[in-house]
């Protein structure tokens, strides 16, 4: 726990210079923010290790280890990525049995025939003699149609308590692909840790859809998490001009894009059939105008009891965190906007084991920022 205590007590840049804490007003009272590290190129995903260290991805294709005040050099063994546009090295997740197996999962834009597509890799993190690297790297999922477009790769990974992996893929800039159940684009997908197909997936036993697909009709979900309160995976996805959505994807269901939407095309024209149509699911919440949501998490911790079970959403537009207040049934009943304009574009948000909240800023000189309360 030494690394965790160092991270909780101090904030350092890569050069080791302490950063002064900032204070912000919230509905739960004043909170503090400290920069733990800087100098990351467009950091995208973060995951905590059992000893309090953290792994962080950079979209350009690098993986770093943050131990206390020390940010490592890029780790060896990361898969080749297509680092163009919104593509690159994206999300990271740590296996439940990491202490024994050292297993992690990465999502990334994989180069290949036709262009690039979202892929999932499994690897083993090796730490010895003060260094770290990846070994036994294996791609366990590869998107079934790669294209030259450089946007809407998704892509978040969620480790479900049933042992399966959920992950998201955007429509790759071509909305009609999200309505094709045989196309991985615009979908939430589910596989086993070795890449095989769970038998209870909606298309696992028929030819009507790709067997990895869980749900379709998603535009570009860049936020996803498992919610213990509702015992379900939730997703947060970009709309176009308005119409960002929070969804709770269910097996085999269609979430509407681009047939229905609460937004409009960037030209201002109407999207599809409007906001509702038979056979398409409604979002749990939507934003209009758009906040450009990215990473998301559910708050479970002791540091901010007033926020227990609320949904926290990182936003690229307006540079803020959206806290979605929920009632005892898990329904979204209100919103508080936090840190607007304070840190820049916020790409990811994670609740740490100690109950603090860690942010990643999507900048060429990106930062890891810790939100905490001083007793």
């Amino acid at each position: 726990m030494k690394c965790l205590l160092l991270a909780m007590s101090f904030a350092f840049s890569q050069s080791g210079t302490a950063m002064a804490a900032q204070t912000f007003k919230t509905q739960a009272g004043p909170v503090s923010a400290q920069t733990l590290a800087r100098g990351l190129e467009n950091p995208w995903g973060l995951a905590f290790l059992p000893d309090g260290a953290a792994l962080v991805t950079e979209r350009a294709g690098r993986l770093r280890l943050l131990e206390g005040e020390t940010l490592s050099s890029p780790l060896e063994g990361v898969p080749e990525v297509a680092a163009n546009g919104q593509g690159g090295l994206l999300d990271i997740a740590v296996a439940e049995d990491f202490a024994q197996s050292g297993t992690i999962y990465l999502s990334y834009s994989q180069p290949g025939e036709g262009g690039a597509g979202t892929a999932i890799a499994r690897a083993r993190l090796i730490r010895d003699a003060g260094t770290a690297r990846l070994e036994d790297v294996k791609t366990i999922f590869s998107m079934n149609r790669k294209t030259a477009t450089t946007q809407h790769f998704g892509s978040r990974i969620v480790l479900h308590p049933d042992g399966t992996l959920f992950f998201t893929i955007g429509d790759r800039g071509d909305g009609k692909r999200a309505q094709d159940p045989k196309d991985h684009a615009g979908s939430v997908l589910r596989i086993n840790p070795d890449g095989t197909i769970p038998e209870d997936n909606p298309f696992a036993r028929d030819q009507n859809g790709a067997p990895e697909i869980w749900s379709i009709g998603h535009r570009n979900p860049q936020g996803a998490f498992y919610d213990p309160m509702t015992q379900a995976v939730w997703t947060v996805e970009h709309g176009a001009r308005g119409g960002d959505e929070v969804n709770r994807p269910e097996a085999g269901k269609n979430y509407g894009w681009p047939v229905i939407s609460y937004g409009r095309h960037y030209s201002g024209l109407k999207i599809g059939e409007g906001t509702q149509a038979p056979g398409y699911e409604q979002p749990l919440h939507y934003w209009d105008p758009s906040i450009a949501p990215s990473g998301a998490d559910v708050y479970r911790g002791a540091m901010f009891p007033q926020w227990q079970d609320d949904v926290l959403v990182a936003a690229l537009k307006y540079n803020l965190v959206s806290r979605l207040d929920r009632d005892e049934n898990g329904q979204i009943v209100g919103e508080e906007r936090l840190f607007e304009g304070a840190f820049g574009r916020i790409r990811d948000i994670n609740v740490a084991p100690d109950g603090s909240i860690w942010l990643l800023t999507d900048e060429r000189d990106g930062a890891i920022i810790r939100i905490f309360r001083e007793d």
Side-chain angles (χ1 to χ4, degrees):
M1 297 296 293
K2 181 179 179 182
C3 293
L4 178 58
L5 292 173
L6 284 169
M8 289 165 57
S9 302
F10 300 100
F12 290 85
S13 71
Q14 279 188 270
S15 63
T17 304
M19 298 287 185
Q22 297 174 265
T23 301
F24 298 89
K25 294 180 180 179
T26 76
Q27 292 176 9
V31 304
S32 299
Q34 280 189 321
T35 300
L36 299 178
R38 295 206 69 91
L40 292 154
E41 184 179 356
N42 302 106
W44 213 94
L46 182 143
F48 298 101
L49 301 180
D51 67 355
L55 290 166
V56 59
T57 64
E58 295 175 272
R59 198 177 66 219
R62 294 182 290 270
L63 177 65
R64 307 284 192 109
L65 179 66
L66 179 68
E67 298 181 277
E69 73 273 23
T70 303
L71 187 64
S72 77
S73 299
L75 276 59
E76 295 183 357
V78 174
E80 179 188 1
V81 305
N84 297 303
Q86 296 173 5
L89 186 60
L90 303 175
D91 205 18
I92 184 167
V94 171
E96 291 293 329
D97 67 348
F98 175 86
Q100 293 75 42
S101 69
T103 299
I104 67 167
Y105 300 93
L106 296 166
S107 71
Y108 61 104
S109 55
Q110 179 189 49
E113 184 178 353
T118 303
I120 305 292
R122 186 182 68 217
R124 192 159 55 93
L125 178 68
I126 304 296
R127 297 164 73 184
D128 55 22
T131 63
R133 64 187 184 279
L134 299 186
E135 290 188 354
D136 303 327
V137 181
K138 180 182 179 182
T139 300
I140 58 173
F141 168 86
S142 183
M143 193 173 181
N144 60 6
R145 181 185 159 200
K146 296 178 172 64
T147 60
T149 56
T150 61
Q151 71 264 41
H152 297 189
F153 291 93
S155 162
R156 293 291 171 189
I157 305 170
V158 178
L159 304 184
H160 195 282
D162 68 6
T164 62
L165 275 69
F166 283 77
F167 56 98
T168 65
I169 301 180
D171 67 5
R172 301 292 284 109
D174 184 354
K176 64 180 180 295
R177 295 184 65 181
Q179 287 298 314
D180 182 355
K182 296 183 179 181
D183 190 329
H184 290 147
S187 300
V188 174
L189 304 95
R190 178 178 180 245
I191 58 176
N192 291 317
D194 61 358
T196 58
I197 309 301
E199 293 183 358
D200 57 346
N201 270 10
F203 303 112
R205 298 175 181 270
D206 61 43
Q207 303 298 316
N208 295 321
E212 301 90 351
I213 285 180
W214 180 256
S215 60
I216 66 171
H218 302 278
R219 184 174 181 269
N220 190 28
Q222 288 189 343
F225 58 89
Y226 177 78
D227 174 37
M229 191 178 191
T230 57
Q231 299 183 9
V233 172
W234 287 43
T235 61
V236 181
E237 56 193 88
H238 290 273
R241 185 174 163 185
D244 303 332
E245 294 184 357
V246 178
N247 287 301
R248 190 169 62 227
E250 296 183 43
K253 292 192 175 180
N254 188 329
Y255 289 81
W257 177 258
V259 181
I260 62 170
S261 174
Y262 282 88
R264 287 184 171 270
H265 290 295
Y266 294 115
S267 65
L269 295 176
K270 177 182 174 181
I271 294 173
E273 299 178 18
T275 59
Q276 301 182 49
Y280 302 99
E281 304 302 312
Q282 286 291 299
L284 303 178
H285 179 80
Y286 69 90
W287 289 271
D288 187 15
S290 172
I291 64 167
S294 190
D297 205 351
V298 60
Y299 189 80
R300 304 277 285 188
M303 191 172 288
F304 301 103
Q306 300 93 330
W307 295 348
Q308 195 73 3
D309 292 312
D310 288 349
V311 175
L312 304 174
V313 181
L316 302 166
K317 187 178 179 183
Y318 306 124
N319 306 333
L320 58 81
V321 170
S322 171
R323 180 183 66 83
L324 299 178
D325 188 23
R326 294 198 296 172
D327 63 20
E328 63 277 7
N329 298 314
Q331 300 296 310
I332 296 170
V333 294
E335 180 188 26
E336 180 183 14
R337 297 190 171 191
L338 306 168
F339 320 121
E340 187 165 358
F343 307 124
R345 290 160 52 89
I346 303 176
R347 172 62 69 184
D348 198 16
I349 186 166
N350 292 272
V351 179
D354 70 341
S356 63
I357 298 165
W358 289 30
L359 312 176
L360 297 181
T361 64
D362 183 29
E363 312 287 348
R364 289 189 63 82
D365 180 22
I368 303 173
I369 297 167
R370 179 175 179 264
I371 308 298
F372 63 100
R373 171 177 283 160
E374 295 181 293
D375 295 328

